[in-house]
Amino acid sequence: MLRAMCLLRAYRRRRWMMRPLPAEWREILEQRVPFHRWLPESKRARFEGLLQAFAHEKYFVPAGGMEIDDTVRVIISACAARLILHRDLSYYDRLTEIVVYPHDYKHKDDDGRILGEAHHWGVVVLSWSAVLRGINNPYDGHATAAHEFAHVLDRGGGAFDGTPTLDRLSAYEPWAVVMSDHYERLQRRGPKVRKVLRPYGATNEAEFFAVATESYFEKPTQMLKQTPELYREMQLFYGGDPAATAVSTSVQDDLDPWHDVGRNDDCPCGSAKKFKRCCGRS
């Protein structure tokens, strides 16, 4: 039975990936998703196929008065597809639902706002406003959707521990050495790693991987320049070479309000809260 279900899922995915992208969806991508324009022409059809398969396979659940429409499905699915462009949809096999709130939300008895969460049981929760903030500023290393989908990839390795499923057994040792080294540098507030990664990455190994994922796609030239070993490990996992097509490092720095913010500093978003109680939570 399980084998039959897997074969059926693979068949459905292939069908969706072979279908041309609807014109309405393409318009959303072109108008609302900047990184779609930067994709190599040779990878664009695959990206759009992954997007379609993801959007039709996963359940999008509205919460807090949210309405789910094609714009929501396309933008969130694009963020998910970006991470697996050089891999495949099997990395999202455990993911079944994406719950979407219209705005940042809170948990009971917690005054901090939540931008997104990834749960063990196959659910990702996203603030739509946080997703849009990440999309609209593609150089600041703060992309909520990418962050939470990186947790899903991480969980695919067995736990939220900062180590997704790698291609070879021999890849785990260098991964552990490089990731641990840079995680400890971030905890010590090392000047080079702080130019690349948000302070929230020092919370634990899982958050380090998620924050590094954000920066690999949004600040690749800084990562390559300041932490080349980290860039190499991320490249081996995600594939591609985003630094080759990124805007200049100076432009990325000018557009990045987060790279020099301490956890006890005021949050750059203007909320009047401490960074650790606001955007530094995710």
Side-chain angles (χ1 to χ4, degrees):
M1 178 65 72
L2 180 60
R3 176 176 172 79
M5 292 176 62
C6 291
L7 289 173
L8 178 60
R9 178 166 56 185
Y11 170 72
R12 288 174 174 170
R13 286 175 174 175
R14 285 196 300 270
R15 285 189 62 190
W16 283 117
M17 290 189 67
M18 292 172 62
R19 293 188 180 185
L21 192 72
E24 298 83 359
W25 286 28
R26 187 177 303 282
E27 183 177 357
I28 294 169
L29 282 177
E30 292 175 349
Q31 294 183 358
R32 304 291 299 275
V33 183
F35 62 77
H36 175 258
R37 299 192 295 270
W38 308 331
L39 291 173
E41 193 65 35
S42 61
K43 294 295 183 181
R44 193 159 296 184
R46 174 171 172 77
F47 171 81
E48 294 173 356
L50 290 167
L51 183 159
Q52 281 203 95
F54 184 95
H56 286 96
E57 181 178 288
K58 310 306 179 184
Y59 293 97
F60 288 78
V61 182
M66 182 70 188
E67 294 184 5
I68 304 295
D69 58 16
D70 280 350
T71 298
V72 175
R73 287 189 181 88
V74 169
I75 290 179
I76 291 177
S77 298
C79 294
R82 186 186 195 186
L83 270 58
I84 58 164
L85 179 60
H86 300 275
R87 291 195 166 271
D88 59 71
L89 275 168
S90 66
Y91 279 81
Y92 290 128
D93 280 355
R94 293 180 60 91
L95 177 63
T96 57
E97 296 181 2
I98 298 98
V99 178
V100 188
Y101 284 86
H103 304 294
D104 303 346
Y105 57 98
K106 295 182 179 181
H107 287 314
K108 187 177 180 180
D109 301 325
D110 189 340
D111 62 353
R113 63 192 184 112
I114 309 297
L115 310 185
E117 301 170 276
H119 296 286
H120 281 281
W121 53 86
V123 176
V124 161
V125 186
L126 294 171
S127 155
W128 179 236
S129 60
V131 171
L132 293 180
R133 288 196 298 271
I135 287 289
N136 293 335
N137 190 347
Y139 310 119
D140 65 350
H142 193 194
T144 296
H147 184 104
E148 301 308 332
F149 288 131
H151 281 316
V152 176
L153 304 187
D154 182 14
R155 178 64 180 85
F160 291 122
D161 60 4
T163 303
T165 301
L166 304 180
D167 291 331
R168 304 176 308 279
L169 286 176
S170 61
Y172 285 92
E173 182 175 353
W175 174 277
V177 170
V178 171
M179 300 298 277
S180 296
D181 177 52
H182 287 80
Y183 172 57
E184 292 171 3
R185 291 189 205 179
L186 187 60
Q187 287 188 313
R188 297 195 301 266
R189 297 173 63 85
K192 289 188 176 181
V193 73
R194 287 179 64 204
K195 291 181 179 179
V196 178
L197 304 178
R198 295 190 291 118
Y200 190 65
T203 304
N204 55 47
E205 290 86 349
E207 298 300 347
F208 179 84
F209 171 65
V211 168
T213 295
E214 295 175 85
S215 291
Y216 178 70
F217 288 102
E218 293 210 338
K219 302 173 66 177
T221 54
Q222 289 106 315
M223 182 178 283
L224 180 59
K225 178 181 178 181
Q226 302 292 342
T227 57
E229 299 91 351
L230 178 60
Y231 183 88
R232 176 59 176 163
E233 287 301 318
M234 299 299 286
Q235 185 180 32
L236 287 173
F237 176 68
Y238 282 114
D241 188 9
T245 56
V247 298
S248 70
T249 301
S250 60
V251 171
Q252 291 180 34
D253 281 338
D254 289 342
L255 293 171
D256 175 14
W258 311 95
H259 75 277
D260 200 29
V261 181
R263 287 180 56 77
N264 290 309
D265 294 341
D266 292 336
C267 190
C269 77
S271 66
K273 297 181 180 180
K274 296 296 184 183
F275 182 64
K276 65 184 180 183
R277 298 285 186 184
C278 193
C279 293
R281 290 175 60 89
S282 176

